[in-house]
Amino acid sequence: MDDSAPDDAAPDDTGESDDTHLRHAFALAAKARARGDRPFAAVIVAEDGTTLAEGLSTQGTGGGGTLAHSEMNACQAVIAAGIPRPRLRRATIYSSGEPCAMCAAAIFYTGIGRVVYGLSAAAILHLRNAQPHTAGLSLSCREVLASAAEPVEVVGPCLEAEGAQPHAGYWQQDAA
């Protein structure tokens, strides 16, 4: 993905409740960073506003790999908790950054019906000063979920300036 290219969709408007949950994900991303992990987090919230699970990045303290992404950690938590699929279909995952293709697929397979994210993939790549060999897959969350058998609503990017705060200076340190 070309980090100078605009995101595949304009920023979406969110409601007050969405903004509150997304800001919580940003706060958790800062917490992940403070403990030595990458600054990403995700929160899964039921239709009634109940927090079902939180997932922080464990890329640092937990090593890395596929299960280290915050969305994967949150999805694993709701699966382990035995949350029924019909409840998850009406739930929203709030992600501090746009879920990667792997996480977007996991969100679908977990059964979550809605995604709200902060930083776009393009913004994350820009902050990381990513090079072609470190940029990852160029499929957006929206593209992956558009191919899903059951529709998954995608809202984002939202509150990007706030979402960038946990990343301030992080990627320069990481490169050193």
Side-chain angles (χ1 to χ4, degrees):
M1 174 183 271
D2 175 8
D3 67 342
S4 64
D7 191 37
D8 59 0
D12 291 293
D13 291 325
T14 56
E16 186 176 331
S17 177
D18 285 337
D19 290 352
T20 298
H21 294 302
L22 195 53
R23 286 183 174 116
H24 181 59
F26 297 156
L28 291 174
K31 182 178 175 180
R33 178 184 176 164
R35 71 177 193 194
D37 291 303
R38 289 188 174 180
F40 295 102
V43 181
I44 301 173
V45 179
E47 181 179 41
D48 65 3
T50 304
T51 298
L52 300 174
E54 296 177 346
L56 282 67
S57 169
T58 50
Q59 288 184 290
T61 60
T66 59
L67 296 181
H69 288 211
S70 59
E71 297 90 349
M72 298 296 279
N73 289 330
C75 286
Q76 288 297 319
V78 293
I79 291 167
I83 307 295
R85 192 170 180 92
R87 190 166 191 211
L88 291 172
R89 278 300 298 149
R90 296 184 306 274
T92 299
I93 185 166
Y94 294 91
S95 183
S96 63
E98 181 174 356
C100 70
M102 174 187 67
C103 290
I107 289 165
F108 167 73
Y109 286 116
T110 300
I112 298 166
R114 185 167 181 257
V115 176
V116 176
Y117 66 86
L119 285 174
S120 67
I124 294 166
L125 288 174
H126 179 74
L127 288 169
R128 288 181 51 208
N129 192 25
Q131 304 302 310
H133 66 284
T134 63
L137 300 173
S138 63
L139 289 172
S140 73
C141 169
R142 204 170 252 104
E143 289 175 289
V144 172
L145 293 172
S147 70
E150 287 184 89
V152 177
E153 180 184 357
V154 179
V155 180
C158 306
L159 307 174
E160 282 197 285
E162 292 179 52
Q165 290 173 3
H167 295 265
Y170 175 82
W171 298 103
Q172 291 75 22
Q173 288 174 244
D174 194 47

